[in-house]
Amino acid sequence: MPKDSGIGASSKRREDIRFLTGDGNYTDDINVNGQAYVYFLRSDIAHGTLNSVDTSAAEGMEGVVRIFTGADFEAVGSVPCGWQVTDKHGEPMQEPRHPVLAHGKVRHVGEPIAAVVAETLEQARDAAEAIMVDIDELPAVVDMKEAVKAGAPKVHDDLTSNLCYDWGFVEENKGAVDEAFKNAAHVTTLELVNNRLVANPMEPRVAVGDYARGTGDHTLYTTSQNPHVIRLLMGAFVLGIPEHKLRVVAPDVGGGFGTKIFHYQEEAFVTFAAKACNRAVKWTSSRSEAFMSDAHGRDHVTKIELALDADNNFTALRTDTYANMGAYLSTFAPSVPTWLHGTLMAGNYKTPLIYVNVKAVFTNTVPVDAYRGAGRPEATYQLERLVDKAAHELGVDPIKLRRQNFVMEFPYATPVAVEYDTGDYVATMDRLEEMADIAGFADRRKASEAKGLLRGFGVNCYIEACGIAPSNLVGQLGARAGLFESCTVRVNATGGLVVMTGSHSHGQGHETSFAQVVADMIGIPEDMVEIVHGDTANTPMGMGTYGSRSLAVGGSAMVRATEKIIAKATKIASHLLEASEADVELKDGAFTIAGTDKSVAWGDVTLAAYVPHNYPLEEIEPGLEETAFYDPSNFTYPSGAYACEVELDPETGVVTIERFWAADDFGNVVNPMIVTGQVHGGLAQGIGQALLENCAYDSNGQLLSASYMDYAMPRASDLPMFDVDHSCQTPCTHNPLGVKGCGEAGAIGSPPSVVNAVLDAMRSGGKDIGHIDMPVSPARVWEAMNS
């Protein structure tokens, strides 16, 4: 029977009540008394020398409070990058300055040149139109391979080239990898593009800066996935504000998908301007601004090769990737195509030799950083498209080839420096085959052909690294921040708990699932547990939410803090019961003496903690509040097998997804309903990338897909009903909950299954083209079918 509460129960999301009734409190809902509004004048060219910014006409316009240009920020720090990558020669990456407002040059369309603060947004916009900007346009570079050629226009004049780093991993494997390819019975080669994406969360970015002159305290309200990290980066490295004088609040956040992890120029600007103007300053992004100021995702060009022996065992893998950084290094950008991508190139397979090369390149485009999955979707797409292509070249069943090469024994140390602690790839593939009714596919294909349509079936596997950790390891790999998580549990005298976490919720359902964990440990109703997050003033220092780390890392900190609470409460209960502490146990919200009917309720013990009449204060101090920090010893490794079935109209190139199946291993599952919802969301985004989405620039650096008129987002009609299963559970072995993470899996596993299905449909129509790049749009399919 399904559980009705606690861990394993599909408790309804308590936060949804306020969201569905319009009572959410988002950053744009926050208005500070006397606030002014800011409008950013952004560059409409991709690359140019900024000769002058004449604000004289605008300064006298109605409502203008003050106009800022790059000159106002010369003494201010650069917007920092949070990860340094060392190249294959042992040299640190090239790291250019990232100004709050452009100074000297503009380097991408959308870069802010000036900012007008005015009484109203309309007045600020009108004044911005009166600013005269003199720019000498320079040749732009957009293509990554062209950008690293000799004589290419340099994005940053003070760098030696547009190459940020040339990373090789594992470098000592390269010779053995090359030798394995020389001796291979078969080699499959594939060149592919992982298309650039715009995250497009429903809520655009917003920032409100406030300053209290009497105390010198700054407050930033912002749409962030990690307010503590924003406080650290902006306060210490950009504006020089001591952390105790800077409060960062991220209230309800309407989606992030990675794009709200990073510290942005606009956040630093409103904080700086609030002090300079002595009043609160507010900025709300328009959707058009979001397209050219929010960090983009993906944008890799890759050549990948697989060597196999005569028995079709994988013997070696090598890849060469160009990864677009855009014009500047966003917060975690350097880590995405390296440590979050190269270390996952083993996938689910026991390939003994792997070498990964990544060239990160500066171009005159919007900076690129983590987007749902961050490096793991890129790795999975490359590998799973390659394995599928190898299977068809060899004339073997794609599922059989995968099964033959699965990792079977755990823990398993991959040749790319990570160790999978647990998993069962055979079980997830078994479950997928049951769900997908592969035996009935031939009949479904015939039914499609009778309608003049082609039907295809595509399958793939995935593995990802979640709960990014541990701090000492990632520190050696270049991380400039810790990757622990924290929690403070405060028990009130009447027994209710306030759980303050450094993790942040922006759609994950933390207020429900976190409460389930704590309530289950104590044996009390979930509504007695309040979850508090998103405000640096009342939560312990934490690293935020991304990389499917909330439950594995943040939840583990919560468990540790709650264990401390239970330990102290047990001491108090032992005195109340006049029993040995070793004989007292907590179950179903009461402390009992083992083997007797003597007990004391949870609420009575918590009251005694604050009314300490019945226990010696020299042994137990009053109160019941504990804090814990948790730094994981390893990543967690969710995995799964996905399948997609499509119909293709050869007359128009239109692809319709008829069925989609996802069998995942997430370890232990706290709330099955929330997990299913997370997978659904990830699948929608992965399918969006596979079929529809494409962020495109022309050769001059102009953003061609700068609105929903030109950037195709998936809609309900583009998606089937998903069949999702997460019953194949191999619990994580190194966190107290045994959880692995689920939030990004759908976006990681779905793109290759869609593309594999489309190519299978094309083959059934007599067209075997080997590969087609995403998005698999009707125009691309029609051209491929008719070329």
Side-chain angles (χ1 to χ4, degrees), residues 314 344-351 380 383-384 387 402-410 412 414 420 423-426 428-429 460-464 637-641 663 665 748:
F314 301 168
L344 269 295
M345 287 310 305
N348 305 65
Y349 311 110
K350 54 183 185 287
T351 312
T380 299
L383 183 59
E384 290 300 311
V387 172
R402 287 175 167 88
R403 285 182 177 274
Q404 176 180 338
N405 288 280
F406 277 160
V407 173
M408 301 294 287
E409 297 181 0
F410 297 87
Y412 173 75
T414 77
Y420 306 159
D424 191 340
Y425 311 145
V426 172
T428 52
M429 183 60 80
N460 71 275
C461 303
Y462 80 90
I463 187 167
E464 59 163 324
Y637 297 96
S639 61
D665 176 4
I748 293 167

Side-chain angles (χ1 to χ4, degrees), residues 27-31 35-38 206-208 280-284:
T27 307
D28 196 53
D29 294 321
I30 295 171
N31 294 292
Q35 73 187 14
Y37 297 82
V38 61
V206 185
V208 182
V281 175
K282 182 174 186 175
W283 170 72
T284 300

Side-chain angles (χ1 to χ4, degrees), residues 262-583:
F262 324 120
H263 173 42
Y264 287 97
Q265 296 143 288
E266 294 88 355
E267 293 168 323
F269 175 82
V270 298
T271 306
F272 180 91
K275 180 178 181 181
C277 299
N278 194 28
R279 62 191 296 185
V281 175
K282 182 174 186 175
W283 170 72
T284 300
S285 173
S286 67
R287 187 61 64 179
S288 295
E289 279 185 292
F291 270 93
M292 56 185 178
S293 66
D294 291 4
H296 293 170
R298 314 290 192 248
D299 205 354
H300 289 188
V301 176
T302 297
K303 178 181 179 182
I304 182 169
E305 300 169 285
L306 177 65
L308 302 94
D309 65 17
D311 296 320
N312 296 339
N313 297 306
F314 301 168
T315 59
L317 181 81
R318 63 187 177 196
T319 76
D320 286 290
T321 291
Y322 289 83
N324 205 335
M325 295 289 100
Y328 299 99
L329 291 178
S330 180
T331 306
F332 291 125
S335 68
V336 174
T338 51
W339 300 112
L340 300 183
H341 159 256
T343 53
L344 269 295
M345 287 310 305
N348 305 65
Y349 311 110
K350 54 183 185 287
T351 312
L353 292 166
I354 299 175
Y355 178 73
V356 180
N357 178 247
V358 177
K359 296 176 177 65
V361 183
F362 292 112
T363 62
N364 293 116
T365 62
V366 171
V368 177
D369 209 319
Y371 171 67
R372 197 170 193 168
R376 290 96 81 200
E378 295 89 325
T380 299
Y381 183 66
Q382 295 170 32
L383 183 59
E384 290 300 311
R385 279 292 304 114
L386 183 70
V387 172
D388 227 60
K389 188 169 186 280
H392 292 292
E393 288 177 352
L394 294 165
V396 300
D397 178 74
I399 293 178
K400 182 180 178 181
L401 182 63
R402 287 175 167 88
R403 285 182 177 274
Q404 176 180 338
N405 288 280
F406 277 160
V407 173
M408 301 294 287
E409 297 181 0
F410 297 87
Y412 173 75
T414 77
V416 278
V418 294
E419 182 174 281
Y420 306 159
D421 64 320
T422 185
D424 191 340
Y425 311 145
V426 172
T428 52
M429 183 60 80
D430 288 345
R431 186 70 189 101
L432 180 74
E433 291 199 60
E434 293 172 13
M435 296 162 63
D437 182 23
I438 294 176
F441 175 71
D443 290 338
R444 296 194 295 274
R445 173 171 273 177
K446 288 179 182 178
S448 295
E449 290 171 349
K451 298 183 292 184
L453 303 174
L454 305 175
R455 198 172 191 98
F457 180 86
V459 67
N460 71 275
C461 303
Y462 80 90
I463 187 167
E464 59 163 324
C466 294
I468 186 167
S471 292
N472 60 355
L473 172 61
V474 296
Q476 295 172 39
L477 302 181
R480 290 165 169 164
L483 288 170
F484 56 85
E485 201 43 78
S486 63
C487 179
T488 296
V489 177
R490 177 182 298 155
V491 185
N492 299 317
T494 54
L497 293 88
V498 179
V499 178
M500 294 161 277
T501 172
S503 297
H504 185 275
S505 181
H506 42 279
Q508 291 85 355
H510 291 177
E511 293 172 39
T512 302
S513 56
F514 283 3
Q516 287 178 254
V517 170
V518 175
D520 193 84
M521 291 179 70
I522 298 171
I524 58 177
E526 293 165 18
D527 60 10
M528 290 180 65
V529 182
E530 176 86 7
I531 306 298
V532 175
H533 63 92
D535 186 342
T536 61
N538 58 25
T539 57
M541 175 71 173
M543 291 293 106
T545 296
Y546 42 84
S548 301
R549 71 192 301 271
S550 298
L551 199 56
V553 188
S556 294
M558 196 171 303
V559 168
R560 295 297 184 229
T562 305
E563 287 173 343
K564 292 181 180 181
I565 290 289
I566 292 172
K568 183 175 179 180
T570 301
K571 286 184 178 182
I572 297 172
S574 71
H575 284 279
L576 298 179
L577 292 167
E578 299 180 332
S580 168
E581 185 181 332
D583 294 331

